[in-house]
Every structure is written in C-alpha cells, then in structure tokens.
Amino acid sequence: MSTISVAGVDIDTRHYIGGKRVASPESYTNTSPIDGTFLGEIARGNADEVDAAVAAARAAFPAWAKLGPVKRGALLNKLADLVEENVEALANIETLDNGALLRSHLRGVMPRVAMNIRFFADYAINDLHHDVFETRGHTNNVSWDPSGVAALITPWNAPLMLATWKIGPALAAGDTVVLKPAEWTPLTASYFADLTKQAGIPDGVFNVVFGFGSEAGAALTAHPDLSRISFTGSVPTAKIIARSAADNLTPVSFELGGKSPCIIMADADLDLAAEIAVEQYDNAGQVCLSGTRLLVHESIAETFAEKFAAKAATLKQGDPRDPDTDIGPQVHRVHFDRIKGFVDRAKAEGQNIVIGGEPNTDLGGLYFRPTLVSNPTPGSEIVTSEIFGPVLCMQTFTTDDEVVAMANGTEFGLAAVVVSGDRAHAETITRQLVAGTVWVNCFFVRDLRAPFGGSKKSGIGRDGGTWSFDFYADVKNTVISPNGWKE
Ligand code: NAD
C-alpha cells in the first residue's frame, strides 16, 4: 500500500521525485517508538531512485534559479503558511514517528519549521549584502548565484525542523533539493513534500528519497551531479560522506555530534543552574547540543547535586502525547540498546551511578530512566563519547584553568553552557571555550541570523543568516572596467 494513515492523516510512503510519487521494489518497516505500533512500510530507495531524483532536480534547476529571490520567496512564504496551517498534523505525525514530546512539536518545533522557511526566503530578498568595491576605477560587484542541486541528509532527533534549516536556505538561494531523511523518521518529510506541491513549488525543485543511509544515502552522496552536500548526523557517517564527496570534489557542510560541557561556577544561582542542568535531558537526551558533562565548582557541588536530584525527580516519564510528560522514549530499539550499553559498561567499570541507570521497567519498551554518573573516571568513555541519550555525568573543578581544560578536553566543540552570577567571570570563561555556540545562564535560545555549527569534530561550516547562503550559493565577483563602453 502506498498510503498509510498516521494520527488520522494520510501519508504517502513512496519517494517524491519530479513532483510525482515513485515506488521502489523493496520497502522497510517503520514502527512507533512510543509503543512499537506498526506505522507502515516505507519505500526503500537505492541508486535508481537517487539517479531519478538528482536528474529531476537538475532538470528543474535552470527555471528555479532564473525565477529570482522575490518570486521564489513568494512560493516559499506560501509553503510556510501551509506549514502553519498544518502544525497539528505535522506535530502528531512527528511524535508518533520519533517519540519526541507532542507539546514541544505543537508549541515550538513545527512553528519553527514555518519560521525557518520564511526566514531564509525573506533573508535572500532583504538581507544578503551585495557588496560593491571600487579598485582603480573598476567596480567589483558581489552576487549570490544559485549553485545547482543540493543533497540534504538529515537525522531523526528533530527530523523536519533540522531538514528545514537546510531546505529553507537551499531553495531560497535558488538551488534545487534532494532530501534523504533518516530511515527511522521518514513521515513528516513525505507530508511536507505534499505541502510543497500545494504551495506551487515547481515539480523537481524539491525531491525526497527514502531509505537507508548505506543505500540511498551512499548513492546520493556519491552522485557526480551535485553542487552541495549538507549533512547533519554522526561523526562516523560524516567521515564516509567526506570520502565519497572527495571523488567529485562536492562541497560539504557538516553538523555533527557533541559532548558539550555545562559549567556551574561557584558564583552561580544554583536554582537556575539545576534548572538548566535538568534541561539537558530534553528530548530524552537526544539533542546534539546537550551539555551532558556537568562541570561543577567543588565548593558548591554538594548543594548543586541536591538541587539537581530534587529537580530531576520531578520529571515525568511517559507517553510523549500526554501533555504532562517531560521525557518520552528513545527513538529506536537499536539506539536504546546503544545507550544501555554505555550505562551497563559504566556500571561494570564501577562508575558511581547516582540517578537512574536502567530502563524504566514500569513503562517497558524504549523508555530509559534519566541517569547521572557522579565523578566518573577521567578519560572513560562515559565522559568522552557522545551517548545521545538521557545520560549526564558530573565532575568537579577548583580553578578556572582546570575547568577550561576539562571543557575543551574532548574531540568535540559543538556547544557549551556556563552558569555564573558574575558577568566578568563568565566572560573570562566563555572567551576560552572552543565551541560553535556558548550559552550563558540559558540554553537552546537561537537567532536564525546568528552562526550555528561546530568546532573540531563537531562540524565543518556554519548555518544561519549569511553563513547558510555562503554555502548554498555560488558567490561571484563581477569586475567591471571603466573602459571599452560605447555609450
Ligand atoms: P547518522 O550519522 O547515523 O545518520 C544521519 C543520516 O545519515 C541519516 O539520514 C542516515 O540515513 C544517513 N546515513 C547513514 N549512513 C550514511 C552513508 N553511508 N552515506 C550517506 N548517508 C548516510 O546519525 P543519527 O544517528 O541519525 O543522528 C544522531 C547524530 O546526529 C548524533 O551524533 C548527533 O549529535 C548528530 N546531530 C547533530 C546535529 C547538529 O546540528 N550538529 C543535530 C542533530 C543531530
């Protein structure tokens, strides 16, 4: 069957290529992480479907590029309107598919999807700087030209939200798109494809191929006819994609993992610190930016730990459709087992697990209890590896130099959180942190005009405002001589 009903909404499980639905000879099974309910059989794309999608995007490119930012912007704003009209459907579908909280999808995530599209459409019209430089009478005109076909590969933790950080600027820049969403969470991408059709986005401008990373993903990133590859996911996958992109010298943008520090200074408001620290369990810990290493000044560690434990005890774990739930299930059995593996090995090593440390047997299925490991052995995998689940560790420090060294002491550099009551002191620390985003006395606030990305192994390049267009557009300088004119 090519159409399934999810949360009362019809969803096509076939690829969306050149404005049409295209089947594959094979499919794979998609289930809900909430309770294992069967959701549907999804088209399992491979090289043939990827070739067709890239060809459709290539064919649609000249007309889309020629349309210019204003006409493209009108269509993209129509698409954003349709997302807003469909927030409830999108939120319900996403929650059933990836298990994240329905209340977050309704209030924050899906409205952000519309905002992402609108923001980049309007930015291309109003905010891109078309610099002009004069050199010895010659005029240098900087322009932002469409570049071709952008391949977008996305993860499952915030499927449509993260996809539209890429779709928005790529389409606004005049590129056409082939999206390969994560295999565990394909559904909102399909519904979104229908919305692009309704919005009047021309056939072939936006295409979706479903399937596994090692099949559809690998075929897409190896394709010779791409102008850009934008990937959000894990470091090991990024290495594979980088090798594949190298053969065609396709430019890449990578948003990767993290093991970010959350630093609690001695001068911090400890109630605020506990609140921010507990937020690191958001989305059942499946947030790339999470400050999973709580680095706490020794002088306040005991009081902070008490406040943290009290706050963590109030978190309600359960069905993500229940508005009172704070922590839902992990996305998939494979991922759940991976998280459990980290915690089981930590236990076997004798690490001190002070909160959680096991599946929630009252709920069964894929629910893992929020977990805290106190004073883990420095250098052990629980301190250095990205777990991507509700597992935090807490270490103490005594000096600024020590905490800066600890904070910067992993291969990642995605984000950092600092909680401090003293502006000058906080600034001394933030200046020394190696991270794409640093939050002070807050978490998860972001302006789309600001750069977003990772240092070290957490990424290559930056998204946001001009940085996004710097990637998706071909930036061109046209130098005009004062001589040779017949006027
Ligand atoms: P993943 O790397 O396993 O998969 C991400 C995507 O890559 C999926 O669509 C997958 O199908 C595809 N893929 C897998 N193998 C591929 C291959 N050989 N060729 C092409 N594509 C392939 O990551 P995941 O488990 O889905 O996501 C979790 C990771 O993503 C974590 O490391 C997390 O930190 C990171 N992440 C980063 C950000 C960020 O903005 N920095 C945001 C969200 C998630």
Side-chain angles (χ1 to χ4, degrees), residues 153-157 162 165 180-183 212-214 217-218 221 231-234 237 240-241 255-258 288 386 388 414 452:
I153 310 238
T154 49
W156 43 259
N157 60 324
L162 291 173
W165 275 5
K180 207 300 280 170
E183 46 270 54
F212 297 128
S214 56
T221 53
F231 168 72
T232 299
S234 64
T237 305
I240 297 171
I241 293 177
E255 303 280 5
L256 309 177
C288 55
E386 183 185 42
F388 218 52
L414 189 58
F452 174 87

PDB file of all heavy atoms in Angstrom, residues 153-157 162 165 180-183 212-214 217-218 221 231-234 237 240-241 255-258 288 386 388 414 452, ligand 1:
ATOM      1  N   ILE A 153      21.026  15.480   3.850  1.00  0.00           N
ATOM      2  CA  ILE A 153      20.904  14.218   4.597  1.00  0.00           C
ATOM      3  C   ILE A 153      20.696  14.568   6.062  1.00  0.00           C
ATOM      4  O   ILE A 153      21.509  15.300   6.650  1.00  0.00           O
ATOM      5  CB  ILE A 153      22.191  13.382   4.445  1.00  0.00           C
ATOM      6  CG1 ILE A 153      22.555  13.291   2.971  1.00  0.00           C
ATOM      7  CG2 ILE A 153      22.044  12.026   5.134  1.00  0.00           C
ATOM      8  CD1 ILE A 153      22.665  11.949   2.385  1.00  0.00           C
ATOM      9  N   THR A 154      19.625  14.048   6.643  1.00  0.00           N
ATOM     10  CA  THR A 154      19.214  14.544   7.966  1.00  0.00           C
ATOM     11  C   THR A 154      19.007  13.420   8.978  1.00  0.00           C
ATOM     12  O   THR A 154      18.748  12.280   8.600  1.00  0.00           O
ATOM     13  CB  THR A 154      17.926  15.379   7.809  1.00  0.00           C
ATOM     14  OG1 THR A 154      16.986  14.631   7.035  1.00  0.00           O
ATOM     15  CG2 THR A 154      18.208  16.696   7.113  1.00  0.00           C
ATOM     16  N   PRO A 155      19.094  13.762  10.272  1.00  0.00           N
ATOM     17  CA  PRO A 155      18.944  12.756  11.330  1.00  0.00           C
ATOM     18  C   PRO A 155      17.497  12.670  11.835  1.00  0.00           C
ATOM     19  O   PRO A 155      16.618  13.378  11.344  1.00  0.00           O
ATOM     20  CB  PRO A 155      19.867  13.291  12.421  1.00  0.00           C
ATOM     21  CG  PRO A 155      19.737  14.766  12.289  1.00  0.00           C
ATOM     22  CD  PRO A 155      19.449  15.073  10.849  1.00  0.00           C
ATOM     23  N   TRP A 156      17.302  11.852  12.859  1.00  0.00           N
ATOM     24  CA  TRP A 156      15.951  11.524  13.323  1.00  0.00           C
ATOM     25  C   TRP A 156      15.536  12.292  14.579  1.00  0.00           C
ATOM     26  O   TRP A 156      14.403  12.187  15.013  1.00  0.00           O
ATOM     27  CB  TRP A 156      15.862  10.018  13.624  1.00  0.00           C
ATOM     28  CG  TRP A 156      17.068   9.494  14.355  1.00  0.00           C
ATOM     29  CD1 TRP A 156      18.103   8.799  13.798  1.00  0.00           C
ATOM     30  CD2 TRP A 156      17.388   9.640  15.742  1.00  0.00           C
ATOM     31  NE1 TRP A 156      19.058   8.514  14.757  1.00  0.00           N
ATOM     32  CE2 TRP A 156      18.639   9.017  15.961  1.00  0.00           C
ATOM     33  CE3 TRP A 156      16.748  10.242  16.833  1.00  0.00           C
ATOM     34  CZ2 TRP A 156      19.258   8.976  17.211  1.00  0.00           C
ATOM     35  CZ3 TRP A 156      17.364  10.207  18.068  1.00  0.00           C
ATOM     36  CH2 TRP A 156      18.605   9.579  18.248  1.00  0.00           C
ATOM     37  N   ASN A 157      16.446  13.040  15.200  1.00  0.00           N
ATOM     38  CA  ASN A 157      16.097  13.582  16.518  1.00  0.00           C
ATOM     39  C   ASN A 157      15.170  14.798  16.443  1.00  0.00           C
ATOM     40  O   ASN A 157      14.400  15.035  17.372  1.00  0.00           O
ATOM     41  CB  ASN A 157      17.348  13.878  17.354  1.00  0.00           C
ATOM     42  CG  ASN A 157      18.252  14.879  16.714  1.00  0.00           C
ATOM     43  OD1 ASN A 157      18.397  14.904  15.500  1.00  0.00           O
ATOM     44  ND2 ASN A 157      18.882  15.712  17.511  1.00  0.00           N
ATOM     45  N   LEU A 162      15.195  20.095  11.569  1.00  0.00           N
ATOM     46  CA  LEU A 162      16.577  20.154  11.081  1.00  0.00           C
ATOM     47  C   LEU A 162      16.620  20.142   9.556  1.00  0.00           C
ATOM     48  O   LEU A 162      17.485  20.782   8.948  1.00  0.00           O
ATOM     49  CB  LEU A 162      17.389  18.993  11.660  1.00  0.00           C
ATOM     50  CG  LEU A 162      17.635  19.105  13.166  1.00  0.00           C
ATOM     51  CD1 LEU A 162      18.288  17.835  13.701  1.00  0.00           C
ATOM     52  CD2 LEU A 162      18.499  20.309  13.501  1.00  0.00           C
ATOM     53  N   TRP A 165      16.226  23.673   8.220  1.00  0.00           N
ATOM     54  CA  TRP A 165      17.406  24.545   8.325  1.00  0.00           C
ATOM     55  C   TRP A 165      18.210  24.483   7.038  1.00  0.00           C
ATOM     56  O   TRP A 165      19.003  25.368   6.728  1.00  0.00           O
ATOM     57  CB  TRP A 165      18.320  24.077   9.462  1.00  0.00           C
ATOM     58  CG  TRP A 165      17.959  24.581  10.810  1.00  0.00           C
ATOM     59  CD1 TRP A 165      16.858  25.319  11.152  1.00  0.00           C
ATOM     60  CD2 TRP A 165      18.707  24.389  12.012  1.00  0.00           C
ATOM     61  NE1 TRP A 165      16.874  25.572  12.491  1.00  0.00           N
ATOM     62  CE2 TRP A 165      17.987  25.021  13.039  1.00  0.00           C
ATOM     63  CE3 TRP A 165      19.890  23.742  12.308  1.00  0.00           C
ATOM     64  CZ2 TRP A 165      18.444  25.026  14.360  1.00  0.00           C
ATOM     65  CZ3 TRP A 165      20.334  23.742  13.614  1.00  0.00           C
ATOM     66  CH2 TRP A 165      19.627  24.378  14.626  1.00  0.00           C
ATOM     67  N   LYS A 180      17.254  13.249   1.765  1.00  0.00           N
ATOM     68  CA  LYS A 180      17.207  11.846   2.232  1.00  0.00           C
ATOM     69  C   LYS A 180      17.045  11.908   3.745  1.00  0.00           C
ATOM     70  O   LYS A 180      18.005  12.098   4.480  1.00  0.00           O
ATOM     71  CB  LYS A 180      18.506  11.135   1.854  1.00  0.00           C
ATOM     72  CG  LYS A 180      18.402   9.625   1.653  1.00  0.00           C
ATOM     73  CD  LYS A 180      17.926   8.844   2.849  1.00  0.00           C
ATOM     74  CE  LYS A 180      19.013   8.602   3.872  1.00  0.00           C
ATOM     75  NZ  LYS A 180      18.470   8.037   5.127  1.00  0.00           N
ATOM     76  N   PRO A 181      15.789  11.765   4.226  1.00  0.00           N
ATOM     77  CA  PRO A 181      15.587  11.826   5.685  1.00  0.00           C
ATOM     78  C   PRO A 181      16.054  10.529   6.355  1.00  0.00           C
ATOM     79  O   PRO A 181      16.253   9.518   5.687  1.00  0.00           O
ATOM     80  CB  PRO A 181      14.071  11.981   5.821  1.00  0.00           C
ATOM     81  CG  PRO A 181      13.487  11.453   4.561  1.00  0.00           C
ATOM     82  CD  PRO A 181      14.535  11.537   3.489  1.00  0.00           C
ATOM     83  N   ALA A 182      16.222  10.580   7.663  1.00  0.00           N
ATOM     84  CA  ALA A 182      16.666   9.399   8.408  1.00  0.00           C
ATOM     85  C   ALA A 182      15.631   8.278   8.269  1.00  0.00           C
ATOM     86  O   ALA A 182      14.421   8.529   8.275  1.00  0.00           O
ATOM     87  CB  ALA A 182      16.865   9.758   9.873  1.00  0.00           C
ATOM     88  N   GLU A 183      16.114   7.061   8.163  1.00  0.00           N
ATOM     89  CA  GLU A 183      15.218   5.923   7.909  1.00  0.00           C
ATOM     90  C   GLU A 183      14.220   5.686   9.040  1.00  0.00           C
ATOM     91  O   GLU A 183      13.126   5.190   8.810  1.00  0.00           O
ATOM     92  CB  GLU A 183      16.021   4.647   7.617  1.00  0.00           C
ATOM     93  CG  GLU A 183      17.186   4.354   8.546  1.00  0.00           C
ATOM     94  CD  GLU A 183      18.492   4.970   8.049  1.00  0.00           C
ATOM     95  OE1 GLU A 183      18.514   6.200   7.795  1.00  0.00           O
ATOM     96  OE2 GLU A 183      19.495   4.238   7.938  1.00  0.00           O
ATOM     97  N   PHE A 212      17.740   3.627   3.509  1.00  0.00           N
ATOM     98  CA  PHE A 212      18.841   3.514   4.466  1.00  0.00           C
ATOM     99  C   PHE A 212      20.035   4.371   4.056  1.00  0.00           C
ATOM    100  O   PHE A 212      20.278   4.601   2.873  1.00  0.00           O
ATOM    101  CB  PHE A 212      19.272   2.056   4.597  1.00  0.00           C
ATOM    102  CG  PHE A 212      18.200   1.160   5.140  1.00  0.00           C
ATOM    103  CD1 PHE A 212      17.844  -0.002   4.485  1.00  0.00           C
ATOM    104  CD2 PHE A 212      17.527   1.493   6.307  1.00  0.00           C
ATOM    105  CE1 PHE A 212      16.844  -0.828   4.987  1.00  0.00           C
ATOM    106  CE2 PHE A 212      16.531   0.679   6.816  1.00  0.00           C
ATOM    107  CZ  PHE A 212      16.185  -0.482   6.149  1.00  0.00           C
ATOM    108  N   GLY A 213      20.797   4.752   5.080  1.00  0.00           N
ATOM    109  CA  GLY A 213      21.993   5.557   4.822  1.00  0.00           C
ATOM    110  C   GLY A 213      22.986   4.841   3.936  1.00  0.00           C
ATOM    111  O   GLY A 213      23.550   5.431   3.012  1.00  0.00           O
ATOM    112  N   SER A 214      23.171   3.541   4.202  1.00  0.00           N
ATOM    113  CA  SER A 214      24.191   2.791   3.451  1.00  0.00           C
ATOM    114  C   SER A 214      23.756   2.515   2.014  1.00  0.00           C
ATOM    115  O   SER A 214      24.568   2.090   1.201  1.00  0.00           O
ATOM    116  CB  SER A 214      24.464   1.467   4.167  1.00  0.00           C
ATOM    117  OG  SER A 214      23.237   0.766   4.317  1.00  0.00           O
ATOM    118  N   GLY A 217      21.431   6.825   0.969  1.00  0.00           N
ATOM    119  CA  GLY A 217      22.343   7.903   1.404  1.00  0.00           C
ATOM    120  C   GLY A 217      23.676   7.825   0.680  1.00  0.00           C
ATOM    121  O   GLY A 217      24.188   8.830   0.179  1.00  0.00           O
ATOM    122  N   ALA A 218      24.224   6.608   0.622  1.00  0.00           N
ATOM    123  CA  ALA A 218      25.532   6.438  -0.021  1.00  0.00           C
ATOM    124  C   ALA A 218      25.451   6.747  -1.513  1.00  0.00           C
ATOM    125  O   ALA A 218      26.343   7.404  -2.075  1.00  0.00           O
ATOM    126  CB  ALA A 218      26.035   5.015   0.211  1.00  0.00           C
ATOM    127  N   THR A 221      25.216  10.672  -1.892  1.00  0.00           N
ATOM    128  CA  THR A 221      26.423  11.481  -1.624  1.00  0.00           C
ATOM    129  C   THR A 221      27.541  11.181  -2.619  1.00  0.00           C
ATOM    130  O   THR A 221      28.452  11.987  -2.780  1.00  0.00           O
ATOM    131  CB  THR A 221      26.929  11.276  -0.178  1.00  0.00           C
ATOM    132  OG1 THR A 221      27.098   9.881   0.047  1.00  0.00           O
ATOM    133  CG2 THR A 221      25.952  11.845   0.825  1.00  0.00           C
ATOM    134  N   PHE A 231      24.974  17.768   5.471  1.00  0.00           N
ATOM    135  CA  PHE A 231      24.718  16.580   6.289  1.00  0.00           C
ATOM    136  C   PHE A 231      24.632  16.957   7.758  1.00  0.00           C
ATOM    137  O   PHE A 231      25.490  17.681   8.271  1.00  0.00           O
ATOM    138  CB  PHE A 231      25.860  15.573   6.074  1.00  0.00           C
ATOM    139  CG  PHE A 231      25.870  14.441   7.067  1.00  0.00           C
ATOM    140  CD1 PHE A 231      24.917  13.440   7.015  1.00  0.00           C
ATOM    141  CD2 PHE A 231      26.843  14.373   8.065  1.00  0.00           C
ATOM    142  CE1 PHE A 231      24.922  12.393   7.927  1.00  0.00           C
ATOM    143  CE2 PHE A 231      26.861  13.332   8.986  1.00  0.00           C
ATOM    144  CZ  PHE A 231      25.898  12.335   8.913  1.00  0.00           C
ATOM    145  N   THR A 232      23.619  16.454   8.447  1.00  0.00           N
ATOM    146  CA  THR A 232      23.577  16.515   9.908  1.00  0.00           C
ATOM    147  C   THR A 232      23.479  15.093  10.419  1.00  0.00           C
ATOM    148  O   THR A 232      22.580  14.352  10.014  1.00  0.00           O
ATOM    149  CB  THR A 232      22.377  17.338  10.404  1.00  0.00           C
ATOM    150  OG1 THR A 232      22.513  18.671   9.916  1.00  0.00           O
ATOM    151  CG2 THR A 232      22.328  17.393  11.919  1.00  0.00           C
ATOM    152  N   GLY A 233      24.411  14.718  11.279  1.00  0.00           N
ATOM    153  CA  GLY A 233      24.411  13.353  11.803  1.00  0.00           C
ATOM    154  C   GLY A 233      25.676  13.100  12.590  1.00  0.00           C
ATOM    155  O   GLY A 233      26.262  14.019  13.177  1.00  0.00           O
ATOM    156  N   SER A 234      26.106  11.852  12.570  1.00  0.00           N
ATOM    157  CA  SER A 234      27.208  11.453  13.451  1.00  0.00           C
ATOM    158  C   SER A 234      28.573  11.597  12.774  1.00  0.00           C
ATOM    159  O   SER A 234      28.667  11.649  11.544  1.00  0.00           O
ATOM    160  CB  SER A 234      27.005  10.002  13.871  1.00  0.00           C
ATOM    161  OG  SER A 234      27.091   9.172  12.735  1.00  0.00           O
ATOM    162  N   THR A 237      29.553   8.701  10.223  1.00  0.00           N
ATOM    163  CA  THR A 237      28.896   8.839   8.913  1.00  0.00           C
ATOM    164  C   THR A 237      29.512   9.996   8.129  1.00  0.00           C
ATOM    165  O   THR A 237      29.700   9.906   6.909  1.00  0.00           O
ATOM    166  CB  THR A 237      27.376   9.054   9.090  1.00  0.00           C
ATOM    167  OG1 THR A 237      26.855   7.995   9.879  1.00  0.00           O
ATOM    168  CG2 THR A 237      26.661   9.081   7.760  1.00  0.00           C
ATOM    169  N   ILE A 240      32.494   8.913   6.207  1.00  0.00           N
ATOM    170  CA  ILE A 240      32.158   8.155   4.986  1.00  0.00           C
ATOM    171  C   ILE A 240      31.732   9.138   3.883  1.00  0.00           C
ATOM    172  O   ILE A 240      32.166   9.045   2.734  1.00  0.00           O
ATOM    173  CB  ILE A 240      31.016   7.147   5.272  1.00  0.00           C
ATOM    174  CG1 ILE A 240      31.470   6.114   6.298  1.00  0.00           C
ATOM    175  CG2 ILE A 240      30.552   6.473   3.989  1.00  0.00           C
ATOM    176  CD1 ILE A 240      30.347   5.201   6.802  1.00  0.00           C
ATOM    177  N   ILE A 241      30.885  10.102   4.256  1.00  0.00           N
ATOM    178  CA  ILE A 241      30.378  11.050   3.259  1.00  0.00           C
ATOM    179  C   ILE A 241      31.518  11.921   2.720  1.00  0.00           C
ATOM    180  O   ILE A 241      31.581  12.213   1.521  1.00  0.00           O
ATOM    181  CB  ILE A 241      29.244  11.918   3.867  1.00  0.00           C
ATOM    182  CG1 ILE A 241      28.035  11.017   4.163  1.00  0.00           C
ATOM    183  CG2 ILE A 241      28.858  13.060   2.938  1.00  0.00           C
ATOM    184  CD1 ILE A 241      26.870  11.720   4.828  1.00  0.00           C
ATOM    185  N   GLU A 255      27.061  19.180  10.182  1.00  0.00           N
ATOM    186  CA  GLU A 255      26.654  19.496  11.566  1.00  0.00           C
ATOM    187  C   GLU A 255      26.679  18.166  12.309  1.00  0.00           C
ATOM    188  O   GLU A 255      25.836  17.305  12.056  1.00  0.00           O
ATOM    189  CB  GLU A 255      25.226  20.054  11.610  1.00  0.00           C
ATOM    190  CG  GLU A 255      24.977  21.292  10.773  1.00  0.00           C
ATOM    191  CD  GLU A 255      25.458  22.565  11.426  1.00  0.00           C
ATOM    192  OE1 GLU A 255      26.076  22.493  12.504  1.00  0.00           O
ATOM    193  OE2 GLU A 255      25.219  23.637  10.854  1.00  0.00           O
ATOM    194  N   LEU A 256      27.618  18.002  13.227  1.00  0.00           N
ATOM    195  CA  LEU A 256      27.860  16.669  13.790  1.00  0.00           C
ATOM    196  C   LEU A 256      27.581  16.615  15.298  1.00  0.00           C
ATOM    197  O   LEU A 256      26.857  17.438  15.830  1.00  0.00           O
ATOM    198  CB  LEU A 256      29.277  16.227  13.435  1.00  0.00           C
ATOM    199  CG  LEU A 256      29.604  16.347  11.936  1.00  0.00           C
ATOM    200  CD1 LEU A 256      31.036  15.961  11.649  1.00  0.00           C
ATOM    201  CD2 LEU A 256      28.651  15.534  11.088  1.00  0.00           C
ATOM    202  N   GLY A 257      28.186  15.672  15.940  1.00  0.00           N
ATOM    203  CA  GLY A 257      27.843  15.403  17.327  1.00  0.00           C
ATOM    204  C   GLY A 257      28.540  16.305  18.331  1.00  0.00           C
ATOM    205  O   GLY A 257      29.292  17.213  17.979  1.00  0.00           O
ATOM    206  N   GLY A 258      28.272  16.041  19.601  1.00  0.00           N
ATOM    207  CA  GLY A 258      28.883  16.834  20.665  1.00  0.00           C
ATOM    208  C   GLY A 258      28.966  16.068  21.973  1.00  0.00           C
ATOM    209  O   GLY A 258      28.364  14.993  22.124  1.00  0.00           O
ATOM    210  N   CYS A 288      21.810  17.107  19.995  1.00  0.00           N
ATOM    211  CA  CYS A 288      23.259  17.191  19.720  1.00  0.00           C
ATOM    212  C   CYS A 288      23.933  18.213  20.634  1.00  0.00           C
ATOM    213  O   CYS A 288      25.094  18.072  20.999  1.00  0.00           O
ATOM    214  CB  CYS A 288      23.484  17.553  18.259  1.00  0.00           C
ATOM    215  SG  CYS A 288      22.647  19.063  17.760  1.00  0.00           S
ATOM    216  N   GLU A 386      29.942  10.536  22.762  1.00  0.00           N
ATOM    217  CA  GLU A 386      28.569  11.036  22.670  1.00  0.00           C
ATOM    218  C   GLU A 386      27.611   9.859  22.849  1.00  0.00           C
ATOM    219  O   GLU A 386      27.647   8.900  22.083  1.00  0.00           O
ATOM    220  CB  GLU A 386      28.328  11.695  21.312  1.00  0.00           C
ATOM    221  CG  GLU A 386      26.935  12.287  21.216  1.00  0.00           C
ATOM    222  CD  GLU A 386      26.598  12.840  19.839  1.00  0.00           C
ATOM    223  OE1 GLU A 386      26.934  12.198  18.840  1.00  0.00           O
ATOM    224  OE2 GLU A 386      25.992  13.923  19.785  1.00  0.00           O
ATOM    225  N   PHE A 388      24.095  10.364  23.366  1.00  0.00           N
ATOM    226  CA  PHE A 388      22.868  10.790  22.680  1.00  0.00           C
ATOM    227  C   PHE A 388      21.629  10.171  23.336  1.00  0.00           C
ATOM    228  O   PHE A 388      20.688   9.741  22.678  1.00  0.00           O
ATOM    229  CB  PHE A 388      22.942  10.426  21.190  1.00  0.00           C
ATOM    230  CG  PHE A 388      22.325  11.490  20.306  1.00  0.00           C
ATOM    231  CD1 PHE A 388      22.701  12.810  20.416  1.00  0.00           C
ATOM    232  CD2 PHE A 388      21.354  11.155  19.363  1.00  0.00           C
ATOM    233  CE1 PHE A 388      22.131  13.796  19.611  1.00  0.00           C
ATOM    234  CE2 PHE A 388      20.771  12.128  18.555  1.00  0.00           C
ATOM    235  CZ  PHE A 388      21.169  13.438  18.679  1.00  0.00           C
ATOM    236  N   LEU A 414      30.893  21.466  19.895  1.00  0.00           N
ATOM    237  CA  LEU A 414      29.619  21.938  19.354  1.00  0.00           C
ATOM    238  C   LEU A 414      29.048  23.091  20.174  1.00  0.00           C
ATOM    239  O   LEU A 414      28.711  24.140  19.639  1.00  0.00           O
ATOM    240  CB  LEU A 414      28.618  20.777  19.285  1.00  0.00           C
ATOM    241  CG  LEU A 414      27.320  21.067  18.538  1.00  0.00           C
ATOM    242  CD1 LEU A 414      27.576  21.507  17.114  1.00  0.00           C
ATOM    243  CD2 LEU A 414      26.403  19.840  18.554  1.00  0.00           C
ATOM    244  N   PHE A 452      25.593  29.028  13.377  1.00  0.00           N
ATOM    245  CA  PHE A 452      25.377  27.803  14.147  1.00  0.00           C
ATOM    246  C   PHE A 452      26.225  26.702  13.524  1.00  0.00           C
ATOM    247  O   PHE A 452      26.194  26.491  12.317  1.00  0.00           O
ATOM    248  CB  PHE A 452      23.900  27.389  14.103  1.00  0.00           C
ATOM    249  CG  PHE A 452      23.659  26.065  14.753  1.00  0.00           C
ATOM    250  CD1 PHE A 452      23.421  25.980  16.109  1.00  0.00           C
ATOM    251  CD2 PHE A 452      23.708  24.884  14.012  1.00  0.00           C
ATOM    252  CE1 PHE A 452      23.227  24.751  16.723  1.00  0.00           C
ATOM    253  CE2 PHE A 452      23.514  23.651  14.620  1.00  0.00           C
ATOM    254  CZ  PHE A 452      23.275  23.585  15.976  1.00  0.00           C
TER     255      PHE A 452
HETATM  256  P1  NAD B   1      23.695   9.053  11.493  1.00  0.00           P
HETATM  257  O1  NAD B   1      25.002   9.621  11.093  1.00  0.00           O
HETATM  258  O2  NAD B   1      23.614   7.610  11.805  1.00  0.00           O
HETATM  259  O3  NAD B   1      22.605   9.298  10.350  1.00  0.00           O
HETATM  260  C1  NAD B   1      22.280  10.588   9.867  1.00  0.00           C
HETATM  261  C2  NAD B   1      21.785  10.470   8.444  1.00  0.00           C
HETATM  262  O4  NAD B   1      22.837   9.972   7.644  1.00  0.00           O
HETATM  263  C3  NAD B   1      20.599   9.524   8.247  1.00  0.00           C
HETATM  264  O5  NAD B   1      19.718  10.065   7.292  1.00  0.00           O
HETATM  265  C4  NAD B   1      21.261   8.288   7.690  1.00  0.00           C
HETATM  266  O6  NAD B   1      20.406   7.500   6.896  1.00  0.00           O
HETATM  267  C5  NAD B   1      22.360   8.897   6.847  1.00  0.00           C
HETATM  268  N1  NAD B   1      23.481   7.994   6.559  1.00  0.00           N
HETATM  269  C6  NAD B   1      23.946   6.979   7.328  1.00  0.00           C
HETATM  270  N2  NAD B   1      24.970   6.354   6.689  1.00  0.00           N
HETATM  271  C7  NAD B   1      25.168   7.001   5.526  1.00  0.00           C
HETATM  272  C8  NAD B   1      26.079   6.846   4.443  1.00  0.00           C
HETATM  273  N3  NAD B   1      26.989   5.870   4.434  1.00  0.00           N
HETATM  274  N4  NAD B   1      26.020   7.709   3.417  1.00  0.00           N
HETATM  275  C9  NAD B   1      25.100   8.700   3.403  1.00  0.00           C
HETATM  276  N5  NAD B   1      24.191   8.888   4.388  1.00  0.00           N
HETATM  277  C10 NAD B   1      24.221   8.054   5.439  1.00  0.00           C
HETATM  278  O7  NAD B   1      23.196   9.940  12.687  1.00  0.00           O
HETATM  279  P2  NAD B   1      21.867   9.759  13.539  1.00  0.00           P
HETATM  280  O8  NAD B   1      22.039   8.622  14.467  1.00  0.00           O
HETATM  281  O9  NAD B   1      20.684   9.777  12.634  1.00  0.00           O
HETATM  282  O10 NAD B   1      21.838  11.135  14.331  1.00  0.00           O
HETATM  283  C11 NAD B   1      22.498  11.309  15.528  1.00  0.00           C
HETATM  284  C12 NAD B   1      23.750  12.100  15.329  1.00  0.00           C
HETATM  285  O11 NAD B   1      23.447  13.331  14.700  1.00  0.00           O
HETATM  286  C13 NAD B   1      24.414  12.471  16.647  1.00  0.00           C
HETATM  287  O12 NAD B   1      25.803  12.344  16.519  1.00  0.00           O
HETATM  288  C14 NAD B   1      24.018  13.926  16.828  1.00  0.00           C
HETATM  289  O13 NAD B   1      24.866  14.674  17.653  1.00  0.00           O
HETATM  290  C15 NAD B   1      24.053  14.411  15.425  1.00  0.00           C
HETATM  291  N6  NAD B   1      23.266  15.648  15.286  1.00  0.00           N
HETATM  292  C16 NAD B   1      23.928  16.813  15.085  1.00  0.00           C
HETATM  293  C17 NAD B   1      23.216  17.999  14.981  1.00  0.00           C
HETATM  294  C18 NAD B   1      23.920  19.311  14.753  1.00  0.00           C
HETATM  295  O14 NAD B   1      23.249  20.256  14.356  1.00  0.00           O
HETATM  296  N7  NAD B   1      25.215  19.413  14.981  1.00  0.00           N
HETATM  297  C19 NAD B   1      21.823  17.987  15.086  1.00  0.00           C
HETATM  298  C20 NAD B   1      21.187  16.772  15.303  1.00  0.00           C
HETATM  299  C21 NAD B   1      21.916  15.600  15.391  1.00  0.00           C
END
